[in-house]
Amino acid sequence: MQIQSRFCSHRLAALLISLIFWSGLPAPGHAQEELRIATSYKLMTLDPHYANLNENTSLLSHIYERLVYQDDRLDLKPGLAVSWRAVSDRQWEFKLRENVRFHDGSPLTADDVVYTIERIRDFLKSPSGGFRSYVTGIESVSAPDPLTVLIETDGAVPNLPLFFSSIFVMNRPAQGFETTEDLNAGHPPNGTGPYRFESWSSGESLRLAGNDDYWDGKPAWSKVTFRVIENPAARVAALSTGEVDVADAIPARDVASLKERGARVASVGAARVNFVQFDVARDTLPGVTDKSGEPIANPFKNPLVRRALTLATDRGILVDKILAGYGTAAAQVFPNGLPGTSAKLLPEAPNYDEAKMLLAKAGFPDGFNLVLAGPAGRYPGDGESLQAIAQSWARIGVKVQPAAAPFSVFNTKRAAGDYGVWYGGTSGEAVDIVLHTLLASPDPERGTGALNFGKYRNEAFDAMLARAESIAVGPARNAALAQATELVMADQPIIPLYHFHHIVGYGSRIGSYVLHPRGWTTAMQTLPAME
């Protein structure tokens, strides 16, 4: 998944945005010295296996690398592994790249991969953020020689290389397993990536230095500083004044004004979905009451209510007004046309009359009240989306109180069960990965449902998804995933809202910025301007 420097060079011609002079801002300095990035991503931990969230995977990809990575088409390419093959239905062999060294000078060997897998599978416990689901099916892992990894699975796992495009390889310590606490407390992260760790201030900054001994060549920047600026307007201001060279997660409403100031802007459709998710498990829910404010039985257990709220959601307003066209309306977890999606699932226009009829049939002719929670400043248009959904649902008698909070607060409260219904978002390497984590029944042993905070369960869907995952990558697997998606979307455990576009702005010191549909913000995507 890491965007390597070779990816930047090979794909650059097709992806560069035409250059526009950045008038009125400071003249370019020595571009190869320090790269300054304003990011919405707040690094949670220095442990690369603790949480499978974009802020961690994006920022830590400078330090650590994976066996396999995904290019801009989500195809698998060699990373630390130069090749892989299925020896049998239950055995895989990975061949490692020669002459790769960790930042402390030690060579990368197969034993480091063995340690990485065992650390995730056997040592780290919840909340490890979903990485465990990638290795749950691994029965054993061994190193026949220093550059060969042999993996035995407890059944057919035809998608195993894709799983390894999510896992950073760590260096085996002298003894035992490194703890998350040790890594966060000062044990310097030791990876093989193009940048070395210098310092980290949680919630404020991450400082990196170029790894001149990097196996794929000296990186473009000698130093990289990430400044965490969670407020979108503040990120735009920092870019406009030249305080930073790159700013990610630019609101669509600010694109025109940035261009007027001479900024260059790049965008790409996201391989992700933003959605409303329901708690369908508990008997009563916080923030869900009748019109007099008295608690009521959980209405989201009834699929008629979920369907009514879906029909009362105006995706057009979200995409056209809030995202200013930098997005597409959603009916499933990935945009139509990507592998594993269904051509039959298309976004519906709102139908308020039918939605009212369904609510009445479900026993709520006058509607009810609810608190709709969501993060503030994490996704493009997240706060405005809460307001727009509230206005739409009010038309069928559902009174909504939007409750936006910083993502760290929202994430903690959602995991604690403080919400009954919420707005969220997720991405993944492929359709089956998102289905596996977001909609499959929660099962820590199988590693499914890590993001299924609504505790939705559908045995028929679980069986269809498991069957699809047992098929080798190709048309048959894609068709099976599409059928499983059609089944689960008919039950509306979530309301898919939109697939937003990633938007990044950059200034005169930057020659080009290569975007990726997974939405990472890295120095490897950024090439300096030629002086």
Side-chain angles (χ1 to χ4, degrees):
M1 295 197 323
Q2 179 174 337
I3 301 159
Q4 308 282 359
S5 59
R6 62 183 178 278
F7 161 70
C8 293
S9 59
H10 291 173
R11 300 292 300 175
L12 191 58
L15 296 175
L16 288 183
I17 303 301
S18 60
L19 302 183
I20 302 173
F21 181 70
W22 180 276
S23 59
L25 295 186
H30 297 289
Q32 290 76 14
E33 293 181 357
E34 182 179 10
L35 174 66
R36 305 161 302 169
I37 300 177
T39 182
S40 60
Y41 290 146
K42 183 179 180 180
L43 184 63
M44 296 175 60
T45 176
L46 293 177
D47 186 338
H49 301 152
Y50 184 77
N52 190 8
L53 294 171
N54 249 15
E55 49 263 66
N56 293 334
T57 57
S58 178
L59 298 178
L60 292 179
S61 69
H62 295 80
I63 301 168
Y64 296 98
E65 296 182 289
R66 306 166 175 88
L67 294 178
V68 184
Y69 81 97
Q70 286 181 298
D71 67 11
D72 63 313
R73 299 177 184 275
L74 303 186
D75 293 328
L76 298 181
K77 301 294 180 181
L80 293 178
V82 293
S83 65
W84 50 89
R85 66 186 182 99
V87 179
S88 67
D89 286 346
R90 297 181 55 182
Q91 191 175 73
W92 283 85
E93 179 188 82
F94 288 77
K95 290 289 187 179
L96 301 186
R97 191 176 297 277
E98 296 181 1
N99 301 318
V100 176
R101 292 191 174 275
F102 287 92
H103 295 160
D104 67 357
S106 59
L108 168 73
T109 70
D111 196 42
D112 298 307
V113 179
V114 173
Y115 167 78
T116 294
I117 293 171
E118 291 179 343
R119 182 176 189 264
I120 297 171
R121 186 191 63 187
D122 305 330
F123 178 69
L124 285 184
K125 304 300 180 184
S126 182
S128 56
F131 285 110
R132 191 167 184 268
S133 66
Y134 299 136
V135 299
T136 300
I138 294 177
E139 196 168 81
S140 66
V141 55
S142 59
D145 63 63
L147 295 178
T148 302
V149 179
L150 197 61
I151 295 173
E152 301 273 355
T153 60
D154 59 11
V157 186
N159 223 19
L160 190 66
L162 178 65
F163 293 166
F164 282 112
S165 73
S166 291
I167 295 173
F168 289 122
V169 175
M170 292 183 70
N171 182 225
R172 181 185 285 276
Q175 59 183 7
F177 293 101
E178 285 191 277
T179 68
T180 300
E181 292 75 18
D182 285 342
L183 287 167
N184 289 340
H187 285 203
N190 183 29
T192 61
Y195 291 92
R196 301 172 183 268
F197 174 81
E198 281 203 338
S199 67
W200 170 53
S201 178
S202 179
E204 295 181 8
S205 65
L206 173 68
R207 298 182 186 277
L208 306 165
N211 176 15
D212 291 345
D213 298 322
Y214 183 50
W215 61 266
D216 198 27
K218 185 177 178 179
W221 306 93
S222 62
K223 291 186 178 296
V224 179
T225 298
F226 284 90
R227 286 177 52 192
V228 179
I229 303 179
E230 294 186 88
N231 183 278
R235 286 195 303 277
V236 170
L239 178 61
S240 297
T241 60
E243 294 177 35
V244 298
D245 305 304
V246 176
D248 65 16
I250 297 295
R253 64 177 177 268
D254 292 315
V255 168
S257 63
L258 276 175
K259 287 183 175 180
E260 288 174 0
R261 293 185 59 108
R264 287 159 286 177
V265 175
S267 70
V268 69
R272 61 172 305 118
V273 65
N274 283 67
F275 53 84
V276 170
Q277 189 172 35
F278 304 102
D279 185 323
V280 298
R282 290 180 286 177
D283 292 333
T284 59
L285 299 174
V288 180
T289 69
D290 62 18
K291 288 303 182 73
S292 66
E294 294 298 318
I296 59 174
N298 182 355
F300 308 131
K301 288 188 174 185
N302 190 330
L304 294 178
V305 173
R306 302 197 298 269
R307 177 62 180 158
L309 292 174
T310 299
L311 285 172
T313 301
D314 191 340
R315 296 173 176 87
I317 289 178
L318 301 178
V319 170
D320 297 335
K321 302 297 184 183
I322 295 174
L323 298 180
Y326 283 91
T328 53
Q332 53 192 313
V333 297
F334 268 16
N336 287 36
L338 289 179
T341 58
S342 170
K344 297 178 181 178
L345 293 175
L346 300 173
E348 298 176 275
N351 187 329
Y352 299 108
D353 291 337
E354 184 177 347
K356 287 180 181 178
M357 291 173 56
L358 290 174
L359 270 189
K361 187 175 181 180
F364 300 98
D366 299 321
F368 50 89
N369 298 345
L370 62 83
V371 174
L372 177 63
R378 178 171 176 81
Y379 307 113
D382 47 16
E384 297 94 328
S385 293
L386 293 181
Q387 297 289 341
I389 294 168
Q391 293 172 13
S392 291
W393 289 1
R395 296 182 61 170
I396 63 170
V398 176
K399 183 178 179 181
V400 177
Q401 177 186 338
F407 179 71
S408 58
V409 175
F410 165 79
N411 199 38
T412 299
K413 288 189 173 184
R414 179 177 59 177
D418 290 354
Y419 304 135
V421 55
W422 54 90
Y423 161 99
T426 191
S427 63
E429 301 82 355
V431 163
D432 53 307
I433 300 294
V434 176
L435 295 175
H436 191 89
T437 57
L438 183 64
L439 296 174
S441 299
D443 186 337
E445 292 302 315
R446 291 176 55 234
T448 57
L451 299 180
N452 184 353
F453 296 106
K455 301 298 186 289
Y456 172 76
R457 295 182 180 275
N458 184 327
E459 292 183 1
F461 167 68
D462 291 340
M464 290 185 72
L465 179 59
R467 185 179 72 83
E469 291 178 323
S470 71
I471 302 171
V473 173
R477 181 188 183 94
N478 292 338
L481 288 171
Q483 292 172 0
T485 300
E486 291 162 9
L487 175 75
V488 74
M489 286 296 103
D491 204 24
Q492 302 287 177
I494 64 171
I495 303 176
L497 299 175
Y498 51 75
H499 313 287
F500 66 73
H501 293 180
H502 299 296
I503 309 174
V504 169
Y506 56 100
S508 61
R509 297 180 68 238
I510 307 304
S512 64
Y513 189 91
V514 181
L515 272 166
H516 191 282
R518 291 295 308 281
W520 300 302
T521 303
T522 75
M524 292 80 77
Q525 296 161 260
T526 312
L527 297 182
M530 300 298 292
E531 294 193 44

